Amino acid sequence: DEISIDNDYSLNSNYEPADFETSIYKNISTFDLDDWKYILVNKENPLKEDIECDLIGLNGFDVDVRIYDKLTEMFDAAKEDGINLCMASGYRNYNTQKYLYEKKINYYKRLGYSTDEATQIASMKVTPPLTSEHETGLAVDILSYEYNTMDSDFGLSDAGKWLKEHSYEYGFILRYPQGKEDITMIQYEPWHFRYVGDEAAEFIYVNDLTFEEF
């Protein structure tokens, strides 16, 4: 029987699974990693300062204006499939991120952890200021009206499943996937999505990569 191939991301010319190195080698040259969409922000790659963003409001939260159309397109597509998505967080400035980070540390200190222990645990959930993607305006937290709690079980909800399967079609990736915590240094967050553009999102999705690996 003939085999139909829509792309060559996961199969080589012999229709055998491509290994990681081959897959990267064949495609990575098509991406200009200096493009604004690919800015890597994490604990090892902090922003130098609180950057200025051209923001636009969406459901009570701000996002970078350049991702607005794709984000609303994704929300509309989900609605057509019976999924009612809602924004839970968008852009945060330095002071907001600092407040949330210190609040989380204090929470764990009140539970009896030392300052060092509380800081280590907190940083897996809320990153220090200048190390959060939310400060770029390119990251959003998304829940649904049916399931509006930020916990791991959101990934098991209809909305969580839909987002994991379809977000790449609109240029977004599940930023902190399950089983990759040792790479992202962030707990599994099935509600946190990052805009990287259509091509990179598909590449990351098909190759099961984190943004750090990309």
Side-chain angles (χ1 to χ4, degrees):
D1 295 335
E2 292 185 359
I3 299 178
S4 176
I5 301 178
D6 294 329
N7 59 56
D8 63 354
Y9 290 145
S10 57
L11 298 175
N12 61 23
S13 58
N14 295 318
Y15 307 128
E16 297 174 348
D19 61 30
F20 180 82
E21 294 297 333
T22 300
S23 181
I24 292 295
Y25 177 77
K26 289 171 63 179
N27 296 278
I28 198 65
S29 63
T30 64
F31 300 103
D32 176 8
L33 297 184
D34 291 326
D35 190 283
W36 63 270
K37 297 188 293 293
Y38 307 141
I39 181 173
L40 177 63
V41 180
N42 58 25
K43 298 171 190 175
E44 296 182 347
N45 297 274
L47 296 166
K48 293 182 179 180
E49 58 185 357
D50 197 5
I51 62 176
E52 293 186 6
C53 299
D54 188 5
L55 301 172
I56 186 172
L58 177 63
N59 299 148
F61 297 93
D62 290 331
V63 298
D64 188 302
V65 67
R66 293 170 293 188
I67 77 171
Y68 178 85
D69 287 345
K70 282 292 188 177
L71 188 57
T72 54
E73 185 180 344
M74 182 168 70
F75 273 50
D76 290 343
K79 190 171 184 178
E80 290 181 1
D81 288 341
I83 306 296
N84 297 304
L85 301 178
C86 63
M87 288 282 291
S89 186
Y91 169 77
R92 301 175 193 155
N93 61 26
Y94 177 93
N95 289 332
T96 299
Q97 190 65 29
K98 182 174 183 290
Y99 167 76
L100 293 173
Y101 178 60
E102 293 177 348
K103 179 181 179 182
K104 187 64 72 173
I105 292 174
N106 289 332
Y107 168 77
Y108 286 107
K109 287 172 67 175
R110 289 195 300 271
L111 293 180
Y113 293 96
S114 68
T115 299
D116 288 344
E117 291 171 335
T119 300
Q120 182 177 5
I121 298 171
S123 67
M124 288 289 292
K125 303 175 183 295
V126 180
T127 59
L130 298 182
T131 68
S132 171
E133 287 193 326
H134 285 285
E135 294 173 83
T136 68
L138 304 177
V140 290
D141 292 336
I142 304 174
L143 297 171
S144 71
Y145 288 102
E146 291 76 19
Y147 197 112
N148 57 8
T149 303
M150 290 185 184
D151 60 29
S152 60
D153 285 344
F154 175 72
L156 301 176
S157 70
D158 290 341
K161 292 177 181 178
W162 190 95
L163 284 165
K164 183 178 180 180
E165 182 178 351
H166 295 285
S167 60
Y168 81 91
E169 298 169 2
Y170 305 92
F172 290 85
I173 59 171
L174 175 61
R175 182 62 178 87
Y176 305 120
Q178 194 168 30
K180 300 265 191 168
E181 293 87 349
D182 59 329
I183 299 173
T184 64
M185 300 304 295
I186 297 292
Q187 67 173 5
Y188 168 50
E189 294 189 353
W191 59 85
H192 183 109
F193 290 83
R194 160 67 192 270
Y195 183 77
V196 297
D198 293 354
E199 292 184 2
E202 182 181 16
F203 180 77
I204 289 169
Y205 175 81
V206 170
N207 287 288
D208 190 28
L209 301 178
T210 63
F211 198 42
E212 280 79 7
E213 291 170 308
F214 171 78

